[in-house]
């Protein structure tokens, strides 16, 4: 969105600030200004001159010598321009002045071009007459300028006056970045209203009064809106005795500053109103409207329509069309049709100002491949109340510019108009939210400037219809902040009770799991929660295994993603297999992810989502390395009691002799072991692979981060080593249970330091050796204390069929 400062000042005449002050203040109040440019940049010492006499150059056939009156004197200028004659008023650059660029229309130099007095083929020349290109513009914005040659002023300019002022170039064009919720600011009036409120200046919008003739618009046109959801409002007016011609210079200059090329008075009026009010308009030649009837309806699938640009557009039933009694004449909100275009011989014009569904216009423009200035505004969602004011403004300009007559009355077809938003006025709430102390009176002054109405009896605020973004109390507080000044809002501390910034206990446990896994060389992976039913067969699960009772997804991506996983192994083994087949030698992966256990099938309630801590590895590792990682994690979360491993885990997917349930205080936390060779084959893993799975909801209740300090021992420890011959079917865990049970209070520690099976041990037995440490906290142990404890331990072991080695 671009606007000229002069256009803004037409509605805020008391605005007095520098360009930078305007840019900074408007940006701070919420209307972001991206930048600005001055059309008069590098234009210096340029006045209106009048050619009094022209003579041929004595030494050049293509040059002429002009005597030019610049008001204070007559100077001589040599030029090669073919279009000047005596009496013409032209822009003249005096000696030492600047122009923006060259006549070739190429890129403008940053510093401009300095013009100095000199001689051309031996004849003195004390200045230069300018083309419009040399003044930094072009014929698109100054259509009256000649294609080649000097710009010629009309008779209304004064000789010796500022030529740049006469051309309307003493101005500043600001570029705005408007957010889509502020559709009112896609208009000059909307920007001017914001500027007036920002600088606390009076705002004077156009006063619209339409001079109508005695005819009735109903005798000229009727309107039938068949889809009021896509067209909430359609306004139509008729103008007769149309006279096509150029629009006035002030209108051309304002349009040019906004980047719109002036064409003729009729087209310029519709473009002017679109920029001024933000309401796109369209003009139809009424004589081409069959039956003098407008029908607003959807297109038909497969229809083809030729637009004003001569292109054929393919339509469908979602595109809204403007039609007459026989044919389509325009695509609603986007572009009119070639069959109803305005030509120079038009005598009666139908003006259209409507409101269309923004989302539909956006989608239609994309489908047909045509986006225009009008569609860009309509797709934001315009205010229906703005349509009538805009069409009346266009009719007012028709009369004021002598372009034609306005037929009495207006055709206005609309659905029920949206009611204005009403909110209670709560100044204390706004101040509390903003951390300010703005008085009630100052707030009401702000609201008055932006046309929010206050009802003192009901203590309510009524929003204007053009402010579709004001819906809640926080929006009102923002308006106070914008115009009170964000830079004036003091820095304050937040209110409320302070809270400790840390993770919940469950998440701290999960973070500890990540830390320990990564410390032990594992990399984190993430696996899909969706799986295939074929996974259960790959894992060798029994037909009646509870894990097969999985939740079936109603709309799966495919069979391979058709159920919710009940085991976390498939994703882990798939990832390990991928690494193995890509020749990664030593791989350690972990995952923290949910499994989904249905409480009943078919589902009647949400399933039990259980977080699983899954570890998987192959390469330089074995069962006991995995066991060590599990114990490292459990100890780090305060689980310091004895961990028991039950080899009767009964997991089909694990090696029958190398698996175990992990038990803590009689509760199974999970399992670990070597993956069954058959399962490894199913996953194409040709090496020993180890996994461990801990059920985190079971682990968390046993975890604690509390630590109790124990002092350094004051008394010495006593160590005893025992070597035993043990039946093969007795596990070391059973031996350690006896040591713990019978060692008494003075037992401090025990360590397994040797297991041997070989020729020196009788068949069916193994040799096991332990180092046992005793210590008392209150005295130095005597031999009798240690011997008594050892005797109890040995008696317990002998009862299991264990013998001491001699």
């Amino acid at each position: 969105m671009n606007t000229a400062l002069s256009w803004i000042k037409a509605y805020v005449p008391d605005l007095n600030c520098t360009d930078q002050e305007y840019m900074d203040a408007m940006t701070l109040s919420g209307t972001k200004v991206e930048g600005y440019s001055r059309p008069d940049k590098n234009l210096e010492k340029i006045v209106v001159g009048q050619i009094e006499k022209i003579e041929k150059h004595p030494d050049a056939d293509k040059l002429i010598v002009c005597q030019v009156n610049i008001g204070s004197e007559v100077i001589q200028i040599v030029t090669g321009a073919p279009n000047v004659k005596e009496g013409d008023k032209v822009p003249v650059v005096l000696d030492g002045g600047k122009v923006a660029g060259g006549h070739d229309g190429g890129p403008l130099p940053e510093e401009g071009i300095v013009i100095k007095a000199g001689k051309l083929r031996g004849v003195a020349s004390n200045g230069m007459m300018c083309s419009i290109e040399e003044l930094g513009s072009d014929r698109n914005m100054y259509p009256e300028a000649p294609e080649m040659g000097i710009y010629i002023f009309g008779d209304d300019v004064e000789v010796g006056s500022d030529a740049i002022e006469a051309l309307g170039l003493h101005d500043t064009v600001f570029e705005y970045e408007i957010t889509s919720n502020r559709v009112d600011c896609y208009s000059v009036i909307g920007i001017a209203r914001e500027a007036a409120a920002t600088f606390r200046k009076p705002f004077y919008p156009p006063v619209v009064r339409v001079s109508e003739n005695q005819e009735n618009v109903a005798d000229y046109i009727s309107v039938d809106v068949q889809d009021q959801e896509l067209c909430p409002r359609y306004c139509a007016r008729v103008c007769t005795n149309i006279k096509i011609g150029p629009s006035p210079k002030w209108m051309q200059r304002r349009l040019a500053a906004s980047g719109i090329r002036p064409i003729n008075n009729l087209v310029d009026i519709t473009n002017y109103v679109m920029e001024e009010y933000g309401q796109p308009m369209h003009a139809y030649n009424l004589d081409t409207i069959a039956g003098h009837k407008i029908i607003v309806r959807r297109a038909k699938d497969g229809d083809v329509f030729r637009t004003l640009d001569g292109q054929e557009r393919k339509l469908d039933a979602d595109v809204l069309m403007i039609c007459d009694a026989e044919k389509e004449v325009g695509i609603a909100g986007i572009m009119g049709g070639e069959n109803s275009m305005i030509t120079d011989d038009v005598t009666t014009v139908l003006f259209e100002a409507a409101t269309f569904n923004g989302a539909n216009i956006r989608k239609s423009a994309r489908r047909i491949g045509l986006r225009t200035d009008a569609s860009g505004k309509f797709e934001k969602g315009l205010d229906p109340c703005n349509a009538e004011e805009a069409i009346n403004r266009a009719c007012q300009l028709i009369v004021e510019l002598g372009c034609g007559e306005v037929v009495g009355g207006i055709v206005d077809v609309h659905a029920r108009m949206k009611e204005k938003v009403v909110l209670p006025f709560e100044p204390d709430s706004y101040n509390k939210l903003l951390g300010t102390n703005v008085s009630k009176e100052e707030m009401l002054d702000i609201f008055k400037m932006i046309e929010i109405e206050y009802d003192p009896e009901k203590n309510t605020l009524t929003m204007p219809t053009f402010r579709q973004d004001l819906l809640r109390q926080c929006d009102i507080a923002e308006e106070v902040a914008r115009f009170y000044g964000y830079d004036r809002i003091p820095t304050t501390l937040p209110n409320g009770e302070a809270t400790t910034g840390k993770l919940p206990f469950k998440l701290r446990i999960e973070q500890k799991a990540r830390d320990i896994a990564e410390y032990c060389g594992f990399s984190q992976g993430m696996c899909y929660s969706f799986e295939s039913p074929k996974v259960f067969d790959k894992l060798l699960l029994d037909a009646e295994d509870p894990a097969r009772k999985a939740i079936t997804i109603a709309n799966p991506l495919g069979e391979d993603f058709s159920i919710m996983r009940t085991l976390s192994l498939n994703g882990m083994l798939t990832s390990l297999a991928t690494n193995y087949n890509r020749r990664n030698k030593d791989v350690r992966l972990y995952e923290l992810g949910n499994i989904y256990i249905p409480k009943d099938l078919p589902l009647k309630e949400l399933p039990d989502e259980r977080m699983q801590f899954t570890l998987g590895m192959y390469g330089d590792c074995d069962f006991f390395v995995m066991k060590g990682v599990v114990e490292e994690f459990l100890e780090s979360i305060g689980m310091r009691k004895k961990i028991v491993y039950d080899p009767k885990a009964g997991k089909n997917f694990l090696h029958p002799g190398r698996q175990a349930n992990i038990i803590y205080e009689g509760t199974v936390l999970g399992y670990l072991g070597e993956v069954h060779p058959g399962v490894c084959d199913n996953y194409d893993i040709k090496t020993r692979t180890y996994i461990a799975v801990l059920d985190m909801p079971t682990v968390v209740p046993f975890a604690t981060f509390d630590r109790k300090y124990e002092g350094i021992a004051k008394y010495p420890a006593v160590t005893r080593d025992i070597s035993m011959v043990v039946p093969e079917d007795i596990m070391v865990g059973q031996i350690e249970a006896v040591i713990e049970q019978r060692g008494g209070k003075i037992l401090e520690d025990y360590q397994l330091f040797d297991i041997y099976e070989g020729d020196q041990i009788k068949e069916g037995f193994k040799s096991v050796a332990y180092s046992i440490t005793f210590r008392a906290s209150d005295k130095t142990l005597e031999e009798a204390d240690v011997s008594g404890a050892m005797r109890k331990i040995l008696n317990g072991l002998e009862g299991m069929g264990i013998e001491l080695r001699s």
Side-chain angles (χ1 to χ4, degrees), residues 686-705:
K686 307 302 182 184
T687 187
R688 288 188 174 185
T689 304
Y690 302 90
I691 61 160
V693 178
L694 289 171
D695 185 57
M696 296 300 282
T698 306
V699 170
V700 169
F702 294 106
T704 177
F705 289 107

Side-chain angles (χ1 to χ4, degrees), residues 228-240:
Q228 291 195 339
E229 180 182 352
L230 298 186
C231 180
R233 190 173 194 183
Y234 192 99
C235 296
R237 297 203 70 157
V238 174
C239 297
T240 59

Side-chain angles (χ1 to χ4, degrees), residues 25-271:
M26 291 293 284
T27 299
L28 194 61
S29 69
T31 308
K32 185 180 179 183
V33 181
E34 285 287 299
Y36 62 87
S37 61
R38 291 197 60 89
D40 61 356
K41 181 183 179 182
N42 297 325
L43 301 180
E44 299 177 6
K45 298 178 69 174
I46 304 177
V47 300
V48 176
Q50 186 169 25
I51 302 174
E52 295 187 345
K53 184 178 181 181
I54 297 178
E55 297 176 336
K56 290 185 177 181
H57 192 287
D59 294 323
D61 293 338
K62 295 184 178 181
L63 297 179
I64 56 176
V65 182
C66 302
Q67 304 301 320
V68 182
N69 181 4
I70 59 172
S72 59
E73 59 178 316
V74 176
I75 62 174
Q76 179 172 286
I77 297 176
V78 179
T79 181
N83 67 311
V84 294
K85 62 182 184 298
E86 293 180 358
D88 283 347
K89 294 180 180 180
V90 296
V92 177
V93 189
L94 304 180
D95 181 25
K98 276 186 177 182
V99 293
H103 186 78
D104 60 0
L108 301 181
E110 184 65 27
E111 300 298 328
I113 299 174
V114 178
I115 303 300
K116 295 183 179 180
K119 291 184 177 182
L120 286 177
R121 301 291 294 270
V123 177
S125 182
N126 298 311
M128 185 181 81
M129 294 181 283
C130 303
S131 67
I132 197 64
E133 288 80 10
E134 289 164 331
L135 297 175
S137 191
D138 56 46
R139 294 184 67 249
N140 284 329
M141 301 309 171
Y142 290 82
E144 74 277 9
E147 185 173 354
M148 296 291 293
I150 305 302
Y151 182 84
I152 309 297
F153 285 110
D155 294 334
D156 55 341
V157 297
E158 181 181 348
V159 174
S161 63
D162 185 351
I164 305 306
E165 179 69 28
L167 288 167
L169 294 175
H170 283 316
D171 206 347
T172 307
V173 178
F174 292 94
E175 179 184 358
Y176 304 87
E177 180 184 329
I178 308 298
T179 55
S180 58
N181 67 323
R182 287 301 307 274
V183 67
D184 60 300
C185 287
Y186 284 91
S187 66
V188 178
I189 288 178
I191 296 291
R193 187 186 293 109
E194 291 286 305
T198 299
F199 291 94
R200 300 294 199 276
K201 301 296 183 181
F203 172 57
Y204 301 98
V207 178
V208 180
R209 296 189 182 93
V210 183
S211 298
E212 304 173 344
N213 62 24
Q214 300 302 313
E215 297 179 287
N216 189 342
V217 69
D219 298 332
Y220 283 84
I221 193 71
S222 63
V223 176
D224 177 17
V225 178
Q226 296 183 359
D227 194 328
Q228 291 195 339
E229 180 182 352
L230 298 186
C231 180
R233 190 173 194 183
Y234 192 99
C235 296
R237 297 203 70 157
V238 174
C239 297
T240 59
N241 300 322
I242 296 297
K243 302 176 183 65
I244 299 294
S247 55
K249 292 291 189 294
W250 62 267
M251 181 176 285
Q252 292 186 26
R253 302 298 176 257
R254 289 180 180 180
L255 290 175
S258 298
I260 298 176
R261 181 171 64 93
I263 297 176
N264 58 49
N265 50 7
L266 192 59
V267 175
D268 290 353
I269 284 172
T270 59
N271 286 333

Side-chain angles (χ1 to χ4, degrees), residues 334-354:
I334 301 177
M335 185 177 282
E338 191 177 59
N339 55 10
S340 62
M341 65 185 300
I342 297 293
T343 57
D344 290 343
D345 59 351
V346 65
T347 58
T348 307
V349 166
L350 170 67
F351 275 132
E352 165 195 285

Side-chain angles (χ1 to χ4, degrees), residues 399-428:
V399 175
E400 290 181 355
L401 302 186
C403 188
E405 297 179 12
V406 179
V407 173
I410 180 174
V411 177
D412 186 4
V413 180
H414 58 81
R416 181 180 178 184
M417 302 296 283
K418 184 178 179 181
E419 295 183 359
K420 294 182 178 180
V421 175
V422 179
L423 297 173
F425 178 44
E426 301 175 351
D428 293 339

Side-chain angles (χ1 to χ4, degrees), residues 716-733:
V718 178
T719 303
R720 294 286 187 269
D721 293 344
I722 58 173
S723 180
M724 301 164 284
V725 178
V726 180
E728 283 185 343
D729 59 345
I730 294 180
M731 296 178 293
V732 294

